[in-house]
Amino acid sequence: FKFRVLLEESMSFGTLGATGRGACEHHGLSASDVTLICGSMSTALATVGGFSVADKAITSHQRLSSTGYCFSASLPPFNATAAISALRIM
């Protein structure tokens, strides 16, 4: 079967699971069981932006083929620092 599993973690990241790692941890799944994990950093991390996690082939295609690559700017350093600090607290 040719299918992909996309897990949107905006509301579960930081809240579900023993350590707040989201739905995969909560349901006992390995991250390798999911093709693409994505979410917003505006919920649990209290900053702007988003994240996506996948293998190298998928993330390279997403990064180079998406309109975000053409029409967006990188995250400001203070927002990146806020996200890193929130992750360290979690």
Side-chain angles (χ1 to χ4, degrees), residues 16 40 44 50 78 86:
L16 284 180
S40 171
F78 62 89

Side-chain angles (χ1 to χ4, degrees), residues 13-87:
F13 183 71
T15 59
L16 284 180
T19 61
R21 293 185 181 192
C24 282
E25 183 182 46
H26 179 73
H27 294 290
L29 298 172
S30 168
S32 62
D33 295 334
V34 179
T35 307
L36 179 72
I37 300 172
C38 62
S40 171
M41 294 193 301
S42 65
T43 50
L45 300 181
T47 188
V48 298
F51 63 90
S52 70
V53 180
D55 65 18
K56 187 174 182 175
I58 293 173
T59 55
S60 293
H61 180 270
Q62 182 183 19
R63 182 173 46 85
L64 296 173
S65 301
S66 68
T67 56
Y69 181 73
C70 302
F71 300 111
S72 72
S74 60
L75 192 62
F78 62 89
N79 288 115
T81 302
I84 291 168
S85 297
L87 286 170

